[in-house]
Amino acid sequence: MDPEQINEFVVGYLKKKGFSGAAKDLEDYHHQNNGSSLSSIDYHNDPELTKLIRSFSQQEDDPTRYRESYSKLRSWAYNSLDLYKHELLRVMYPVFIHCYMDLVGKGHTQEARAFFNSFRKDHEMVHLRDLQKLEGVLSPSHLEEMEFARSLRKSKVNIKICQYSYDLLLQYLHRTESTLMLGIINEHINFQVYSGQPTSSSDDIEAVTIVGSFQDTANHINQKEIQWGLLEDSLEDRLEKTGGLLSDSEKGQGESKDGDADDSKKRSTEIGKQGSSIKKLKKDKAGNATAKVARLETSTVPPAPRVKPELALPVMSTDVEQSILEDLRNRVQLSSVAMPSVSFYTFINTHNGLNCASISHDGSLVAGGFSDSSIKVWDMAKIGQSGSGALQGENDTNDSIGGPNGRRNYTLLLGHSGPVYSATFSPPGDFVLSSSADTTIRLWSTKLNANLVCYKGHNYPVWDVQFSPFGHYFASCSHDRTARIWSMDQIQPLRIMAGHLSDVDCVQWHPNCNYIATGSSDKTVRLWDVQTGECVRIFIGHRSMVLSLAMSPDGRYMASGDEDGTIMMWDLSTARCITPLMGHNSCVWSLCYSGEGSLLASGSADCTVKLWDVTSSTKSTKAEEKNGNSNRLRSLRTFPTKSTPVHALRFSRRNLLFAAGALSKPAS
Amino acid sequence: MSIVPKETVEVIAQSIGITNLLPEAALMLAPDVEYRVREIMQEAIKCMRHSKRTTLTASDVDGALNLRNVEPIYGFASGAPFRFRKAIGHRDLFYTDDREVDFKEVIEAPLPKAPLDTEIVCHWLAIEGVQPAIPENAPLEVIRAPAENRIHEQKDGPLIDIRLPVKHVLSRELQLYFQKIAELAMSKSNPALFKEALVSLASDSGLHPLVPYFTNFIADEVSRGLNDFQLLFNLMHTVRSLLQNPHIHIEPYLHQLMPSVVTCLVSKKLGNRFSDNHWELRDFTANLVALICKRYGAVYITLQSRLTKTLVNALLDSKKALTQHYGAIQGLAALGHNVVRLLLVSNLEPYLRLLEPELDAEKQKNQTKSYEAWRVYGALLRAAGLCIHDRLKIFPPLPSPSPSFLDKGKGKIINIEPQKRKLSVDSSKNQSPRKILITMDGPDGVQSQDHTGSAPMQVDNPVENENPPQNSVQPSSSEQTSDANESESRNGKVKESGRDRAITMRAILDQIWKDDLDSGRLLVKLHELYGDRILPFIPSTEMSVFL
């Protein structure tokens, strides 16, 4: 090897890298020692090193090298041993996107695009949405501007890999001297090598999300302690106490009486269903009998430690409390054998304008938020009365719900100046909150049919708003990437939860009111402490935007649904996904747990309501801890609607499931 | 490099008044344009998701532009999809059609209908986890075989609960629906409403539980109401609608349904008044039978054979009434040409001999009888004719034969002519309805045009020629209401024109002799039996060669 040549390489390399001073010094140095081989640097004599130096000087400006070395690495990984293949393939995705971003960053737009297109197929299945985002990045400035790209560039990806796969990879990289790949892998991947056999490919949920810098922080945050137990002295407790005093016969009477009440309500809304509801009544009893047994079983499981409320909770009037207790006492116990009845509210003639729907806790009020800034509230009980009133011949106090023109049978609430994205009823049903693209949240009274308060605080459209389980407080989330906690009596937010990397799309309260959960377009779900405003959990695993959240009534689990139709069940204390529930093939708009937490209902844009058995999951998690994977959750029933995407779901306190959606013309 | 070509950037620049944009600058801008467009689309998709939709609309894009503090693009808010038009002379250039609107037009136009107001409809999506089969719900996977069900459940593991089959309870709504339909079918006072009901029967889902009730109802009413023509017709329409409904599986009930249908086809007497056009009912039912055979013949292998057996028996039984024969013939004819060839044509000769005395005006004095006989004769002729036409038209069209061929044919036809004429005169004396006259006019027309030697004009000639005999008939047919006559003649014309079309079909005689001696023989036989009346069914060239 000619030392002169090597010197040239070195000087060229230094110049290229911008070390002009060093290059000059080196040149001077060589000039001084011209001819003499008294070089103190030993790179002249080390063939390996010279090769390396030469490769450095060559590759820098050559965009085709990325393609070559990537495709070599790719074919090697695809031809590797089956056992280790999926682990090695996992490495390919970060390498791929960083190759692409390197190319873009160096201004080789054309080559970058060609490179991207030729290999994107490999990763489309898992990372489609990321790829769609990255595809638009075409200049170095875009890399800077785009949050996603920036976080990718800054952070390292953690990849769990077994010892042997790791050795294989290193061997390959050294043998082929693909320094380019080696550089990228070193720079952007953080291997967590473990000994033993490679894990099965299905368990790598974490590997599929590249979450940027907060993987570590997420792990850190998830160490924090959370208290997911229910509140002390909750209504359920009181029910246990009072319920224990009632003898069985009394209970039975109560049931039939209430069944009648329930019946009459239904009769008012649904004429001509008597036969079925009587049948229902009978079955309710049977269901209760089985459920009592089930309750005995579950009561042996030690309940979670009760917690004190961190917020000052509103005092509940005794009337309301009594009615709730009454409802709870007459709740139909649901399980995989006792299925709920589903009452469906179909919005017709919406002209594609219905953005959201909400159902009050007793199912009697239904609110729709429309893209023409209006909110319409229907009182289903009154609609039923006016219908049955004609039948019974008693036209009693059917006062002006219709408003001035008398024909309208809903209450029109006007006030927003942009599409209404969300509406929520307070637990007793006397207030409605709505959030809109005009960045405000408005409080409406269903008694006065008027706007009471306008809450301004968000800077961008407010995507979602939710009343707390006890009313008074509410949480909102917005395109401005924050979630905020408010109380009804103050127009300023009480807390601002910032931390999501993209829009916060949905929000949900924990049953004990001390936490809220938020789902975001950054594909994570976070749990926040209401009192401190801190993020206490990050749930990573979704592959697309999170659209809906639900908390189990016992406060231990959370379900989240995403744009792809996947529903994930999370254990709040460990921040781990218990299992993904696959079944829907379009956006999951709505999730709801049944009153005692044994069933999960999900409503989707694919025009179905699905019921999932989640009791078996809680059992199997315990089993899982002992004997590995014994699977798991299952879909119990699918109820297809007639081309009506399901926007909202609500289990009433008596476990009747209400669902709502807008009839949309099937695409012809 | 970017999906936005630099030309696009240049066009945009020109449209906002920058004329001196350097090509390099355009090239640099192109990737940024793409990035911005993608950014807007990303936000627009968010807006779409929060509007709980799965199709992106112009308003979503406007929303996204608002989010970015960009003025929205006005004028694209309409709900209708844009109509892009191709610019002439450019391959990939499209523009939206922006019509000039006249103010006067807009002002004078009547106000559009106010859109319907939003409402909520409530129904049970499920009761105790079971979806009721009501029209509001999506059609269920109807009645799965229980065995299949069990296997399926067992696969799911021991956790699954096996539900016993639900007792068949008909919901109140369905009961009302059934009652209403039954009333409509019986009442025949409101044909418009009944038509609506038929549409509902043919399209609504969730009607399956009613099928046994309907079959029962139809069977009962048919057996009871044979004298009530309108009722029978309504019932047959109901059957047809049930068959059409895609959500109904009617096979298990076919065995109950078929006897009533066949009754309406071959019953001796349908309706009790003279004005009842039971021929129409028989025709309709024949088509219905054919539909059933076509749809379920593959499932019920014995269906068609049993049916044809019944029909042939009805036909060959000389003691049966002519109306029954007519129904049988129509039924067989509707089942397809193969059935006609195998069953009808083979029995043609003895049957025609049987029919001969009835047709003869001198022997048969009873006008009704004679009318019926001609009706049967017409049906028979049509069936045989269509059959032979079908046989012949499969041969590929070849260049038309030499005129000398035609000339030869002419001579023979002329020979037969006198006999023909006599027949037609006979029939007009008999005051037979138009239809039969036409079947006889046809050959007349062929003859006359053969005389003129203008083969291509065949299509028009028969229609023209049928005028004189029509005139001769009309005065004498005073007994029949002129209305009926009118409709009949219209009917006749339609059929005639269909036949004329058939005449224009060209094939070559050589083919017939060489390829299919059978059809040749068949043709000869038919000709023997029918005389020239079969000729309109035969493509002209073949006919000429044949003759």
Side-chain angles (χ1 to χ4, degrees):
Chain A
M1 186 64 59
D2 186 4
E4 279 302 313
Q5 222 178 335
I6 293 167
N7 282 338
E8 264 172 43
F9 286 143
V10 174
V11 170
Y13 179 75
L14 286 173
K15 269 185 184 162
K16 201 183 299 154
K17 285 282 172 182
F19 303 120
S20 51
K24 204 159 166 264
D25 285 349
L26 191 67
E27 255 177 293
D28 290 346
Y29 173 78
H30 283 303
H31 280 300
Q32 280 168 17
N33 304 339
N34 209 1
S36 75
S37 57
L38 290 170
S39 172
S40 56
I41 313 164
D42 63 347
Y43 57 69
H44 291 157
N45 304 324
D46 187 345
E48 283 292 311
L49 199 55
T50 50
K51 235 194 259 174
L52 191 64
I53 287 166
R54 205 168 58 162
S55 71
F56 265 128
S57 62
Q58 272 179 3
Q59 78 195 22
E60 283 306 315
D61 243 359
D62 190 3
T64 55
R65 281 190 55 97
Y66 278 93
R67 192 196 188 90
E68 277 169 24
S69 16
Y70 179 78
S71 62
K72 263 190 223 157
L73 180 65
R74 178 173 169 271
S75 56
W76 171 77
Y78 274 101
N79 292 327
S80 59
L81 295 170
D82 278 344
L83 191 57
Y84 306 100
K85 195 153 139 185
H86 69 268
E87 285 199 331
L88 293 171
L89 289 180
R90 232 181 274 172
V91 179
M92 298 306 291
Y93 176 64
V95 173
F96 169 71
I97 52 173
H98 282 290
C99 280
Y100 174 67
M101 285 191 286
D102 277 354
L103 283 169
V104 171
K106 286 183 182 137
H108 304 293
T109 321
Q110 195 110 45
E111 290 83 356
R113 184 47 75 84
F115 172 78
F116 191 79
N117 285 337
S118 48
F119 296 114
R120 77 173 281 171
K121 276 268 179 306
D122 299 348
H123 310 289
E124 247 173 7
M125 200 176 78
V126 186
H127 302 283
L128 181 64
R129 280 163 215 279
D130 288 348
L131 292 179
Q132 279 168 350
K133 269 190 203 163
L134 280 176
E135 199 177 11
V137 176
L138 286 172
S139 78
S141 62
H142 294 159
L143 280 180
E144 281 302 305
E145 195 178 325
M146 191 174 167
E147 190 124 9
F148 178 63
R150 213 164 57 208
S151 72
L152 283 179
R153 292 303 263 178
K154 268 196 269 173
S155 63
K156 279 193 167 191
V157 184
N158 283 323
I159 290 184
K160 267 189 177 176
I161 192 167
C162 80
Q163 184 65 48
Y164 188 68
S165 307
Y166 184 64
D167 289 346
L168 277 179
L169 184 66
L170 282 191
Q171 265 176 26
Y172 166 78
L173 290 172
H174 280 294
R175 201 176 58 238
T176 55
E177 282 148 15
S178 47
T179 47
L180 188 66
M181 291 297 119
L182 190 61
I184 287 174
I185 288 172
N186 274 337
E187 201 176 340
H188 297 291
I189 300 179
N190 189 13
F191 285 107
Q192 294 172 330
V193 184
Y194 63 93
S195 52
Q197 287 300 302
T199 52
S200 73
S201 52
S202 59
D203 277 346
D204 57 350
I205 299 162
E206 277 160 62
V208 299
T209 21
I210 291 180
V211 284
S213 55
F214 55 81
Q215 177 84 58
D216 291 331
T217 46
N219 286 339
H220 181 67
I221 284 170
N222 289 345
Q223 302 298 317
K224 289 182 189 168
E225 188 188 354
I226 66 159
Q227 312 214 301
W228 47 265
L230 295 179
L231 290 182
E232 293 173 327
D233 194 30
S234 70
L235 280 169
E236 272 84 357
D237 289 349
R238 274 180 250 172
L239 176 71
E240 296 278 300
K241 281 177 214 154
T242 54
L245 297 175
L246 285 169
S247 75
D248 254 13
S249 60
E250 271 173 336
K251 252 190 172 174
Q253 277 175 2
E255 262 164 34
S256 58
K257 203 170 60 193
D258 263 83
D260 282 346
D262 215 354
D263 248 25
S264 63
K265 198 197 291 172
K266 262 175 248 149
R267 206 177 294 142
S268 59
T269 49
E270 293 279 315
I271 309 155
K273 286 250 159 83
Q274 290 93 335
S276 58
S277 47
I278 289 164
K279 187 183 77 187
K280 177 176 178 296
L281 184 69
K282 280 182 199 151
K283 283 203 177 160
D284 281 1
K285 279 183 195 162
N288 263 6
T290 54
K292 256 172 229 157
V293 183
R295 194 191 282 174
L296 282 178
E297 281 172 8
T298 47
S299 63
T300 56
V301 180
R306 300 284 163 163
V307 294
K308 282 202 166 62
E310 289 173 23
L311 297 169
L313 291 175
V315 186
M316 201 181 287
S317 73
T318 45
D319 288 356
V320 176
E321 192 185 316
Q322 281 308 318
S323 76
I324 292 176
L325 279 176
E326 189 70 22
D327 280 343
L328 292 181
R329 214 171 287 137
N330 294 297
R331 173 186 287 167
V332 182
Q333 294 294 319
L334 297 178
S335 66
S336 53
V337 268
M339 295 291 219
S341 298
V342 188
S343 178
F344 201 94
Y345 297 133
T346 313
F347 289 79
I348 53 172
N349 305 327
T350 56
H351 312 287
N352 267 335
L354 185 75
N355 284 355
C356 65
S358 179
I359 304 164
S360 67
H361 287 247
D362 60 355
S364 63
L365 294 174
V366 184
F370 290 79
S371 55
D372 62 0
S373 324
S374 66
I375 300 156
K376 296 171 184 174
V377 182
W378 282 262
D379 189 334
M380 297 313 289
K382 278 185 186 165
I383 290 175
Q385 265 172 25
S386 60
S388 63
L391 278 180
Q392 292 158 11
E394 41 166 11
N395 274 330
D396 53 347
T397 58
N398 196 4
D399 52 4
S400 62
I401 34 159
N405 67 6
R407 279 186 299 124
R408 220 161 49 200
N409 49 10
Y410 55 82
T411 314
L412 186 64
L413 304 175
L414 292 175
H416 280 297
S417 58
V420 179
Y421 285 124
S422 164
T424 174
F425 282 98
S426 67
D430 46 358
F431 296 110
V432 182
L433 275 170
S434 63
S435 73
S436 158
D438 64 6
T439 74
T440 63
I441 301 159
R442 281 173 188 268
L443 178 73
W444 313 80
S445 161
T446 53
K447 298 270 185 308
L448 305 171
N449 294 338
N451 187 205
L452 303 178
V453 193
C454 175
Y455 302 95
K456 293 175 182 168
H458 284 292
N459 305 322
Y460 279 103
V462 187
W463 294 135
D464 196 11
V465 63
Q466 287 293 330
F467 257 114
S468 84
F470 296 92
H472 192 67
Y473 298 99
F474 59 94
S476 66
C477 61
S478 159
H479 178 69
D480 65 12
R481 301 181 184 183
T482 63
R484 299 177 191 218
I485 308 280
W486 313 68
S487 77
M488 269 163 58
D489 54 359
Q490 288 181 43
I491 56 165
Q492 299 292 330
L494 304 178
R495 295 283 182 280
I496 297 179
M497 277 78 171
H500 274 298
L501 300 181
S502 187
D503 302 37
V504 187
D505 295 300
C506 52
V507 64
Q508 191 58 254
W509 285 83
H510 190 270
N512 69 13
C513 268
N514 293 336
Y515 302 97
I516 62 164
T518 55
S520 161
S521 290
D522 66 12
K523 301 171 200 166
T524 62
V525 178
R526 287 175 184 237
L527 192 72
W528 310 82
D529 188 317
V530 169
Q531 192 58 41
T532 61
E534 272 179 7
C535 177
V536 289
R537 285 289 180 278
I538 300 180
F539 303 92
I540 300 162
H542 277 292
R543 292 182 188 179
S544 55
M545 161 181 187
V546 181
L547 290 168
S548 51
L549 289 169
M551 293 277 188
S552 74
D554 62 1
R556 182 193 273 245
Y557 302 104
M558 177 175 70
S560 58
D562 71 11
E563 207 180 344
D564 292 337
T566 312
I567 301 165
M568 291 205 169
M569 281 279 293
W570 305 94
D571 187 331
L572 288 189
S573 50
T574 59
R576 291 205 166 271
C577 175
I578 298 166
T579 178
L581 303 170
M582 309 292 205
H584 287 297
N585 45 33
S586 189
C587 310
V588 180
W589 297 132
S590 180
L591 288 168
C592 192
Y593 275 96
S594 69
E596 72 293 318
S598 60
L599 295 182
L600 176 72
S602 61
S604 158
D606 63 9
C607 300
T608 57
V609 175
K610 278 181 192 288
L611 291 176
W612 309 85
D613 184 1
V614 286
T615 40
S616 57
S617 76
T618 51
K619 278 174 206 153
S620 73
T621 38
K622 273 165 228 143
E624 248 176 279
E625 282 158 18
K626 288 173 203 151
N627 53 3
N629 290 355
S630 65
N631 230 344
R632 242 151 185 176
L633 301 194
R634 62 210 177 93
S635 167
L636 284 176
R637 284 277 192 288
T638 302
F639 302 125
T641 65
K642 219 173 181 182
S643 60
T644 310
V646 184
H647 287 191
L649 289 169
R650 163 82 72 192
F651 270 103
S652 75
R653 288 199 191 89
R654 298 187 183 193
N655 270 347
L656 178 64
L657 180 60
F658 293 98
L663 181 70
S664 58
K665 298 256 161 57
S668 50
Chain B
M1 59 188 280
S2 159
I3 55 168
V4 181
K6 83 176 198 304
E7 288 78 14
T8 310
V9 180
E10 280 164 359
V11 169
I12 295 167
Q14 276 171 20
S15 71
I16 55 170
I18 302 168
T19 47
N20 55 350
L21 187 78
L22 294 173
E24 294 82 42
L27 214 55
M28 293 296 286
L29 280 172
D32 204 51
V33 169
E34 186 188 339
Y35 180 76
R36 297 299 154 197
V37 170
R38 281 174 187 277
E39 196 181 2
I40 294 294
M41 290 327 285
Q42 182 190 316
E43 300 303 319
I45 287 169
K46 277 180 195 165
C47 288
M48 172 185 81
R49 291 291 181 225
H50 285 286
S51 301
K52 304 251 194 313
R53 271 186 277 110
T54 43
T55 30
L56 199 70
T57 64
S59 62
D60 293 326
V61 179
D62 280 350
L65 290 170
N66 261 330
L67 283 182
R68 288 268 172 268
N69 276 329
V70 183
E71 188 87 343
I73 304 165
Y74 297 105
F76 291 95
S78 76
F82 301 117
R83 298 198 175 279
F84 285 96
R85 290 174 168 251
K86 217 173 194 174
I88 299 160
H90 298 269
R91 221 156 34 85
D92 305 326
L93 187 57
F94 294 87
Y95 64 97
T96 50
D97 193 19
D98 228 354
R99 213 158 48 83
E100 258 182 47
V101 180
D102 194 3
F103 264 123
K104 222 173 126 195
E105 223 173 82
V106 174
I107 292 166
E108 281 172 1
L111 282 174
K113 252 194 210 164
L116 292 170
D117 204 0
T118 312
E119 269 178 72
I120 289 190
V121 182
C122 183
H123 74 272
W124 288 109
L125 184 67
I127 295 168
E128 301 277 310
V130 179
Q131 270 197 299
I134 49 176
E136 286 94 337
N137 280 337
L140 302 169
E141 295 290 312
V142 194
I143 303 186
R144 255 176 290 160
E148 209 177 275
N149 222 354
R150 200 151 299 153
I151 291 164
H152 179 71
E153 282 180 343
Q154 273 167 0
K155 251 187 259 168
D156 268 13
L159 273 168
I160 204 98
D161 51 299
I162 295 168
R163 256 177 195 260
L164 291 170
V166 187
K167 207 176 166 195
H168 194 240
V169 180
L170 209 54
S171 76
R172 185 103 186 92
E173 287 89 339
L174 282 178
Q175 288 177 31
L176 280 174
Y177 183 87
F178 175 74
Q179 274 172 14
K180 198 81 195 156
I181 296 273
E183 265 171 38
L184 278 172
M186 306 275 284
S187 74
K188 61 228 150 177
S189 56
N190 195 344
L193 200 59
F194 183 63
K195 216 170 257 176
E196 290 291 311
L198 287 178
V199 173
S200 151
L201 264 183
S203 55
D204 273 3
S205 58
L207 294 182
H208 193 260
L210 284 180
V211 174
Y213 296 89
F214 271 121
T215 48
N216 213 358
F217 168 72
I218 288 162
D220 277 2
E221 290 305 318
V222 166
S223 61
R224 204 183 308 155
L226 275 178
N227 287 328
D228 192 343
F229 169 74
Q230 193 56 45
L231 171 70
L232 290 175
F233 219 126
N234 282 353
L235 288 172
M236 286 304 109
H237 273 293
T238 314
V239 173
R240 191 181 169 82
S241 293
L242 286 176
L243 284 170
Q244 277 168 345
N245 194 322
H247 308 296
I248 288 181
H249 293 236
I250 209 163
E251 296 110 283
Y253 306 100
L254 271 183
H255 66 281
Q256 290 180 4
L257 215 49
M258 281 312 284
S260 347
V261 174
V262 175
T263 304
C264 283
L265 184 61
V266 295
S267 175
K268 188 176 173 189
K269 202 155 184 284
L270 296 168
N272 51 358
R273 276 171 303 166
F274 185 70
S275 61
D276 287 341
N277 189 359
H278 63 92
W279 309 107
E280 200 187 333
L281 174 60
R282 288 179 204 272
D283 290 351
F284 181 82
T285 318
N287 284 331
L288 201 59
V289 167
L291 180 74
I292 293 172
C293 277
K294 212 166 114 197
R295 180 104 51 93
Y296 303 107
V299 189
Y300 273 81
I301 305 158
T302 56
L303 182 69
Q304 183 155 346
S305 58
R306 276 159 64 186
L307 186 70
T308 48
K309 210 168 146 196
T310 317
L311 292 178
V312 169
N313 282 343
L315 180 65
L316 295 184
D317 190 344
S318 57
K319 284 187 214 91
K320 292 233 161 91
L322 281 169
T323 47
Q324 284 168 293
H325 291 166
Y326 176 83
I329 292 166
Q330 286 294 49
L332 288 170
L335 285 176
H337 305 304
N338 280 337
V339 176
V340 173
R341 197 159 49 87
L342 286 174
L343 298 172
L344 211 55
V345 175
S346 57
N347 295 320
L348 206 55
E349 219 173 321
Y351 184 76
L352 277 180
R353 226 175 289 134
L354 210 88
L355 199 62
E356 198 78 26
E358 307 281 336
L359 289 172
D360 200 338
E362 277 90 50
K363 283 176 198 163
Q364 182 52 260
K365 294 299 176 202
N366 186 338
Q367 280 179 1
T368 330
K369 273 273 170 69
S370 154
Y371 172 54
E372 283 172 2
W374 278 108
R375 195 85 199 204
V376 171
Y377 185 78
L380 212 49
L381 176 60
R382 180 168 159 272
L386 286 178
C387 166
I388 187 72
H389 173 245
D390 186 63
R391 294 288 299 175
L392 294 179
K393 83 173 177 204
I394 52 176
F395 301 117
L398 288 173
S400 52
S402 63
S404 63
F405 244 139
L406 267 177
D407 286 342
K408 258 189 229 164
K410 243 186 281 171
K412 277 191 182 168
I413 288 175
I414 295 164
N415 290 341
I416 313 166
E417 195 186 3
Q419 181 201 340
K420 281 256 63 266
R421 275 281 147 79
K422 202 180 108 211
L423 245 176
S424 79
V425 171
D426 282 353
S427 64
S428 54
K429 267 186 204 156
N430 277 339
Q431 296 161 5
S432 313
R434 281 288 309 136
K435 191 181 170 193
I436 295 162
L437 276 185
I438 290 161
T439 54
M440 303 200 311
D441 288 344
D444 273 352
V446 173
Q447 282 167 9
S448 55
Q449 51 104 89
D450 264 5
H451 279 301
T452 55
S454 58
M457 288 302 289
Q458 272 174 339
V459 185
D460 301 320
N461 277 336
V463 183
E464 285 167 10
N465 278 351
E466 83 191 22
N467 285 335
Q470 194 180 5
N471 290 338
S472 68
V473 169
Q474 238 154 15
S476 55
S477 68
S478 51
E479 281 173 26
Q480 280 177 323
T481 58
S482 62
D483 267 6
N485 208 347
E486 203 62 30
S487 68
E488 281 270 333
S489 78
R490 221 174 297 131
N491 250 350
K493 261 182 198 164
V494 170
K495 277 189 183 155
E496 190 67 28
S497 63
R499 231 174 286 154
D500 292 338
R501 232 174 291 132
I503 292 169
T504 56
M505 288 287 294
R506 302 215 160 215
I508 263 287
L509 182 69
D510 291 354
Q511 295 294 103
I512 301 175
W513 294 121
K514 279 178 201 160
D515 294 354
D516 202 330
L517 275 171
D518 260 7
S519 30
R521 263 181 231 132
L522 186 65
L523 194 60
V524 173
K525 190 173 151 197
L526 284 176
H527 187 253
E528 278 167 9
L529 291 171
Y530 279 114
D532 284 354
R533 277 168 228 166
I534 197 72
L535 294 182
F537 291 100
I538 299 159
S540 59
T541 43
E542 288 158 20
M543 179 185 66
S544 56
V545 173
F546 161 71
L547 290 170

